[in-house]
Each structure stands twice: as C-alpha cells, then as structure tokens.
Amino acid sequence: MGIDFAKLPVFFSVLIYVFFLLYYISRAKKGEKLFLRKISGIEAVDEAIGRATEMGRPILYVPGLSSIDDVATIASLNILSRVSKKAGEYETDIIVPNRNPVVYTVAKEVVKQAYASIGRPDLFKEDSVFYITDSQFGYAAAVCGLMVRERTSTNFFMGMFWAESLLLAETGASTGAIQIAGTDAITQLPFFVTACDYTLIGEEFYAASAYLSGEPILVSTIRSQDAMKSIIGFLILLGGFLSLIGKVSIIEFLFPK
Amino acid sequence: MKKEIPIFIVFFIGTIGFLQYFFIGPISKSVYTLLLEWFQGVQGMAIVMAVISLTKRHLHNLKRKKDTFYSLVTLSSLYGMIILGVFFGIEKGSTFDKIYEYVMVPLNATTFSLLAFYMASASYRAFRARNLESTLLLLSAFILMIGFTSFGDMISDKLPSFAQWILDVPNLAAQRGITLGVALGVLATSLKIMLGIERSWLE
C-alpha cells in the first residue's frame, strides 16, 4: 500500500484547516465574541416559522434528494434540527417528505430528538416525517401535491437538488408560501434565486446550522473557513503572478496534477 | 455514553474514509469496497422502514378520510407492483415491465416536461429590469440567447464569441467563487461532525 502523492496538497490543506479550526475554537472557548455578517436568508428562518404559526398552517421541509453520503444532506439535517426546535417552540407542524430511505430514518430521529430536546416529545407526530419514493419526478410530483393540498405557508428546500428544483420552488411560489432555499448545486441556484424569497448560496448553506445555533464554538468554525479562504485567495494571486512572469514550473511543483 | 458512542463511531469511520482517500493499493481498495457494502446493507434495511412509513401514513389518511383517493392510488400501486414483481416476474414483456414502461416512464417524462413551462414563468420574473443587477442579468441573458443562435451570427460575427466570453469569464469566475466556498463548507461540515463539534443530529 503506497501513498498517493498527487493528493498530498489536499492532505496538507486539511491539516492547515484543522489548525485554524482548533485555533478559533480555543478563542471562542476563552469567551471572545466573533463577528459574523448578517445573512438575510438565515435571519428570515425565524420570521418564516413565525408566519406559519400565525397562519396555523404547517411548514414543509425538503431535505434534498440526495443520499446520506452527500455532505449537503448532512448539512440539511443539521438545519432541520434547528428548524424543528423552533417549530416545536412555536407548536407548529412540520412536514418532512423524503426521497432516500436512509435519509428518512435519520430525518425522523432528528425531528424526534429536536422535540425531545425542548421538552416537548408529545408534539412529534409519527407521520410528519415520511418516505415518498425513490423516483426523482415521482417525488417532485408528490411534494408539489403536498404543497397544494396542505397549503403549507413556509417551505424550506435545503440540500442537494437537480432538475426538480424549479418544479418545487415554482409550485411553492404559486401557493403563496414564503420560501427559503439552500443548496450547493450551482446549476440549480438560479432557479431557487428566481422562485424563492431567500436563497442560501453555497457556503451560506453550510454555515446556516452554526449561524442558527448561535453557539460560539460553532460560530468559530465559520471564521476558520474564512481564514482558509484567505489562504486560497493568496495562492490564487500568487499562481496568477507566477504564471504572468512565466514561472509555471513552480506552480506545477507545488500543485502536481 | 448515549452521545459518546455515536460520536466515536462517526470519528472512527470518518477517519478510515479520510485516510483511505490518500492511499493506493489493494488494502485501500478493499476498505473502500467494504464501506460501500456496509452502506448498501444499511440502505437495504432502511428501505423496509421506508415502505412501512409510506404504508402507515396512507393508512392513517384512509382512516381520517383525508386525501382518500390519492392514498388508495398510492397503496394499490405500491403493493400491486410488489405482487406483480414477486409472483409474475420482472423480465422484459412481463406485466410489471409493461406497467413500468407504459405508465411510470411517461409519467416521469410528463413531470419533467412541466419544467419547460415553469422555466418560462421563472424567466419572466427573473428578467425584469428592476435595478442595476437585474438589468445586467437581463442584458447578459439576451446576449447569450441571441449569441448562441444562427441569428446572432447574422447580426455580427463577434456576437457568438462575446456570448461565449460571458460564459467563460464572468460566469465561470462567479461559479469558481461559489465552488471554493462549497468545498470549504463541505470540509468544515465533515470535520465538525467527525470531531463532535456539530451535534445537532444527536441532541
């Protein structure tokens, strides 16, 4: 068994990232307050849940169509936990239709645990988190039907989406629901931006869970992302400069293909 | 211990998956295959849970007389297909195959086709010149749409290459910015879960 040397830059990047992560966590543990810019999509989550409560209608949460091995699904389930807690505090129903059987079982536990953590396990309804089908458009049709029949007032589309994104978002917009989407699928972002009230774009989607929790340690992880981004920005500039002066060999040495 | 054991399992499996990525050779390959096989096993068990969930929800609907028709269609389709598949086979030309071919596939295609209509309504909303950004978006979309048709070439032979430049330079720059953020977000989320910093899934 040998080491894949082509992947060494990835390995060192992860190590540098872990260093930043631990550094900012230690700063957060010391009680230092870290500033985060406002993200309107995340700020609107509370308002959207409140709206559903006022209208006495349920919230729809779609955890994407991908499987559990997709990090976007994991991020979505983290957000689902925060949203479920808020929904529980406001005593508002939440509907979570699933496409993947494994995601369904995890989502069910996440919602159940969220209600239990706020001391309201009685609010959890067995059939609020359910499986629909593995078929992409079968799922899209079923969720569109749910939006129309249940008259959901708030729709969350968080996770990985493909061609069905616009079908879901446009149907939701036609029912007059307030819609918040979050995805890292670049090709689907324009559809969500057009049809939803708020869209969490790429990294905002991954930061949402930490942002919603407000816990200093989780917030500090976003700062480590920013620090890493600064390094990548510097490397891009350096690479651009080296290319400009014709020193491509240095880039090839640092980042072998 | 209720929290520590799941965190340890996630850390252990995550670390194996992480290290496996950097090694080449038969051991690394067999570890990867083993992890995939385990995942398939979990997936298989979860399907049973999922079918039970679907059945329970629709039986509940039937009891409450809520969306009775839809629930009847769902349950009869689900169990009808299972019975057909188990007792009469799924090979080409069987009733199971015919229903899939002549009902399921056209239904999927119909739902997919709806996208064209939704795109038209979404485009109408997106391409309204309300402010500077939306005007720029409208202009870019206009140049792209005209540029990639033969009509664009008739207006000016430079229009198609300008349309391509919009795609390759400003559009790609924005996409790469998002991709970088996504990659860091994926890494951050993975590490947060592996190290037990993010625990919302087991609170």
Side-chain angles (χ1 to χ4, degrees):
Chain A
M1 192 161 71
I3 296 168
D4 189 348
F5 286 98
K7 287 173 182 169
L8 272 185
V10 182
F11 183 75
F12 289 119
S13 305
V14 175
L15 287 187
I16 294 169
Y17 184 75
V18 171
F19 167 76
F20 278 125
L21 198 67
L22 297 175
Y23 169 69
Y24 281 105
I25 286 173
S26 73
R27 276 178 63 173
K29 275 185 178 168
K30 281 176 192 165
E32 191 179 329
K33 281 199 171 178
L34 299 166
F35 171 76
L36 279 185
R37 74 176 167 90
K38 280 191 174 184
I39 300 174
S40 49
I42 301 174
E43 300 270 315
V45 169
D46 275 359
E47 183 198 321
I49 299 170
R51 184 178 184 253
T53 312
E54 278 170 18
M55 296 175 87
R57 289 191 199 156
I59 295 165
L60 176 79
Y61 191 100
V62 180
L65 276 81
S66 194
S67 58
I68 199 79
D69 54 350
D70 194 329
V71 185
T73 309
I74 308 268
S76 175
L77 292 171
N78 287 335
I79 300 169
L80 172 65
S81 172
R82 313 280 179 209
V83 170
S84 303
K85 274 184 198 168
K86 284 269 178 236
E89 281 163 13
Y90 294 163
E91 296 189 18
T92 304
D93 286 343
I94 184 163
I95 302 171
V96 188
N98 291 279
R99 185 206 177 192
N100 185 282
V102 181
V103 177
Y104 150 70
T105 47
V106 179
K108 191 176 167 185
E109 285 307 309
V110 163
V111 177
K112 209 174 181 177
Q113 290 298 320
Y115 281 125
S117 72
I118 55 160
R120 295 301 305 271
D122 55 302
L123 286 176
F124 176 69
K125 289 178 186 163
E126 273 292 323
D127 62 346
S128 62
V129 185
F130 53 95
Y131 173 78
I132 293 181
T133 172
D134 197 35
S135 156
Q136 182 189 9
F137 291 107
Y139 177 83
V143 176
C144 290
L146 263 175
M147 285 189 249
V148 174
R149 288 195 304 276
E150 301 280 345
R151 307 291 299 170
T152 53
S153 66
T154 302
N155 299 335
F156 288 100
F157 304 113
M158 301 280 182
M160 187 64 194
F161 291 89
W162 288 277
E164 71 293 330
S165 64
L166 190 62
L167 294 175
L168 299 174
E170 273 291 297
T171 308
S174 72
T175 61
I178 184 165
Q179 304 198 101
I180 303 176
T183 186
D184 61 355
I186 290 175
T187 47
Q188 305 309 317
L189 278 170
F191 297 138
F192 278 139
V193 170
T194 308
C196 294
D197 300 279
Y198 300 97
T199 307
L200 303 174
I201 298 169
E203 63 182 319
E204 292 177 347
F205 165 60
Y206 287 104
S209 172
Y211 211 110
L212 285 170
S213 75
E215 289 169 33
I217 291 178
L218 281 172
V219 169
S220 67
T221 62
I222 301 174
R223 287 300 291 269
S224 55
Q225 258 173 266
D226 289 344
M228 199 64 196
K229 224 186 297 171
S230 311
I231 290 184
I232 292 171
F234 171 73
L235 286 175
I236 290 172
L237 286 176
L238 183 72
F241 177 72
L242 289 173
S243 303
L244 209 64
I245 60 171
K247 302 280 183 192
V248 184
S249 55
I250 300 175
I251 304 171
E252 282 169 354
F253 172 73
L254 286 172
F255 303 102
K257 280 180 187 168
Chain B
M1 289 302 271
K2 262 179 93 180
K3 280 184 183 176
E4 279 76 13
I5 291 174
I7 289 174
F8 175 74
I9 294 171
V10 168
F11 179 76
F12 183 67
I13 301 289
T15 309
I16 289 175
F18 173 72
L19 291 177
Q20 178 275 328
Y21 178 75
F22 298 103
F23 288 98
I24 37 176
I27 299 174
S28 172
K29 211 173 176 182
S30 59
V31 167
Y32 182 67
T33 314
L34 183 73
L35 286 178
L36 280 185
E37 280 170 3
W38 276 30
F39 183 70
Q40 278 172 356
V42 173
Q43 180 103 1
M45 283 187 275
I47 286 175
V48 178
M49 306 271 289
V51 171
I52 294 170
S53 146
L54 188 72
T55 310
K56 270 167 84 176
R57 181 176 162 86
H58 287 284
L59 285 177
H60 188 63
N61 275 358
L62 289 176
K63 266 187 205 163
R64 284 191 304 167
K65 292 188 176 152
K66 187 189 171 208
D67 300 328
T68 317
F69 177 71
Y70 300 112
S71 293
L72 273 175
V73 170
T74 308
L75 287 176
S76 55
S77 305
L78 173 70
Y79 286 99
M81 287 300 269
I82 291 175
I83 291 165
L84 279 175
V86 170
F87 295 106
F88 303 98
I90 56 167
E91 64 277 357
K92 195 117 189 92
S94 62
T95 316
F96 181 93
D97 179 63
K98 279 180 184 162
I99 293 176
Y100 182 79
E101 201 70 41
Y102 300 121
V103 180
M104 189 66 191
V105 174
L107 279 175
N108 264 333
T110 309
T111 314
F112 184 58
S113 311
L114 286 173
L115 202 55
F117 297 98
Y118 282 124
M119 266 186 188
S121 70
S123 308
Y124 172 73
R125 262 186 289 154
F127 299 146
R128 272 184 297 181
R130 285 165 298 185
N131 48 36
L132 178 69
E133 285 89 351
S134 54
T135 312
L136 281 174
L137 184 71
L138 172 67
L139 278 174
S140 319
F142 186 74
I143 293 166
L144 277 176
M145 282 190 278
I146 298 286
F148 285 124
T149 58
S150 46
F151 192 60
D153 207 27
M154 283 159 66
I155 298 170
S156 162
D157 58 346
K158 285 185 179 133
L159 200 58
S161 51
F162 182 57
Q164 192 61 48
W165 179 84
I166 290 176
L167 268 188
D168 292 346
V169 182
N171 169 63
L172 198 62
Q175 275 198 27
R176 282 191 178 149
I178 296 172
T179 312
L180 271 175
V182 167
L184 285 173
V186 167
L187 187 61
T189 308
S190 310
L191 284 173
K192 272 190 277 183
I193 293 194
M194 272 174 67
L195 300 173
I197 299 166
E198 173 72 80
R199 299 173 178 212
S200 56
W201 53 283
L202 49 71
E203 270 172 0

